[in-house]
Amino acid sequence: MKNIFKYLSIGALALTVATGCADTDGDGEGSFVWEGSQNPENTSYRNPVWEPSLAGGTVLRAASNFVAISQETEWAAGLPYACPTLQSAGLMTWSSNQQAFTYPVATGEVDEETGEAVITPGSKPEWISGKVDAVSADFAKTVSGANYWMIYSSEADNAFGAATAPSGLGPYTDLGCFLTAEDLGAETLRNPHFSVIATTSYYLGYTTELGSYIQTLTLRKGVVPTLKGAPVKVSGPEFTNICIFRLSKTEYYLFGTVTSGQNSEIRYAKGESATGPFYDKAGVEITDGLSNGELLVEGGVEYASPCNPMHLFESENGYYYLAYNATAIGRETMPSGYSRQPLFVSPLSMDEDGWFVERIVPESGWTSPRFQ
């Protein structure tokens, strides 16, 4: 009897994955067509793609995989991380690997001459007086000896620093501070966005109380980036935390976080160069705050305040995938007290005029299609 049920089960399984015409006419001819597995794991993925948080973080396409880097955080109370790094083969599944920076560590030994504990120096930047609150990184493959560059900000100093590494996962070597709010004649300096466009063009985006700006950079191994030319204002002060994406020589997208009541949302605009100007669908430029572009990601009943558009990745399946943060309603912080903002990756499709069709509401659970 057990064998009968065994064979019945196998037959039932086969019917769930095959379709076609059975031999109903008794002529011995019939066909079944294999349509592949319909298991969710093979066609979909689960959002958020990383928990508990990648607040203030970045996602980049490395030479052979994808890398994510978080701000300074404590995923578990009492276990600090100096910008932990993650890796993924295809944006959908991530694993924790190491840290971009490290803290000083006590070796357990005592210096015989001074009687003091021996401390192994850490690599976290010594010039900052607060925590690393935001990071942005990209792969600059043409900069010999320094392929991965990270721009980070200090929450207490209104300043940016730079670091490089031979691998996107780190560890990163700090090069020091290279830009302050005072340098720009501003009071605040927030949200660095470093982007490599068309292999050899390097751009820095940032936000002050006056608006968001883009400026070109010159990169050389072993020294801090050099600012090139004057900063170009690309949006009003409401459109912050900017991110650039290049689709073609004349198609550029600017994403940003915009406050909406007590929450935030992600919006975007289009332009013909990396430094804009950028326009909404009606042709209104967003530089002077007359428009905040087109709504792309808004909060829902489960997750609020989508923010921090990190990167847009083009996929072979015809979709574009946006990496960003959102906050679970009722779980805004981790037990450590740090912000709890999981990493989301959402697919987008584009119409004939180059505008995104979907309006995203971040939700937990299965999302499709998978990145290819």
Side-chain angles (χ1 to χ4, degrees), residues 3 22 45 51 54 61 65-66 70 76 82 85 89 96-97 168 182 185-186 212 221 238 244 251 255 267 324 345:
N3 289 336
Y45 62 98
E51 293 187 280
L54 200 80
R61 189 194 293 268
N65 60 359
F66 294 90
S70 171
T85 60
S96 179
N97 190 280
E182 185 177 359
S212 290
K221 178 185 176 182
E238 297 82 9
I244 316 168
E251 294 175 290
F255 302 88
R267 290 178 167 266
Y324 62 96
V345 175

Side-chain angles (χ1 to χ4, degrees), residues 54-61 67-72 83-85 100-101 132-140 147-154 159-165 167-168 172 174 178 190-197 202-207 213 217 219 225 241-245 255 308-313 323 325:
L54 200 80
T58 188
V59 176
L60 66 141
R61 189 194 293 268
V67 172
I69 309 174
S70 171
Q71 66 174 196
E72 200 168 346
C83 302
T85 60
F101 297 127
V132 175
D133 69 329
V135 298
S136 182
D138 211 341
F139 178 41
N147 293 147
Y148 292 90
W149 287 73
M150 180 173 69
I151 308 298
Y152 61 89
S153 63
S154 164
F160 290 171
T164 62
S167 165
Y172 282 77
D174 182 43
F178 76 96
R190 296 283 186 270
N191 307 128
H193 172 67
F194 172 62
S195 181
V196 179
I197 295 179
Y202 312 116
Y203 292 91
L204 174 67
Y206 52 84
T207 299
Y213 297 81
L217 297 176
L219 305 182
N241 205 187
I242 61 174
C243 168
I244 316 168
F245 173 73
F255 302 88
N308 188 27
M310 304 176 201
H311 208 297
L312 190 74
F313 299 96
N325 294 127

Side-chain angles (χ1 to χ4, degrees), residues 16 21 48 50 123 125 130 177 188 190 196 203 205 207 236 249 259 264 270 275 316 323 330 343 367:
T16 63
C21 302
W50 177 262
S123 63
C177 175
T188 60
R190 296 283 186 270
V196 179
Y203 292 91
T207 299
K249 291 182 179 180
T259 300
S264 63
K270 286 178 57 181
T275 55
E316 294 180 358
L343 172 62
T367 304

Side-chain angles (χ1 to χ4, degrees), residues 2 68 77 91 113 221 224 228-229 237-238 268 275 293 328 338 347 351:
K2 290 182 179 179
L91 292 176
E113 295 183 1
K221 178 185 176 182
V224 295
K228 185 179 179 181
E238 297 82 9
Y268 76 102
T275 55
Y338 282 78
D351 64 21

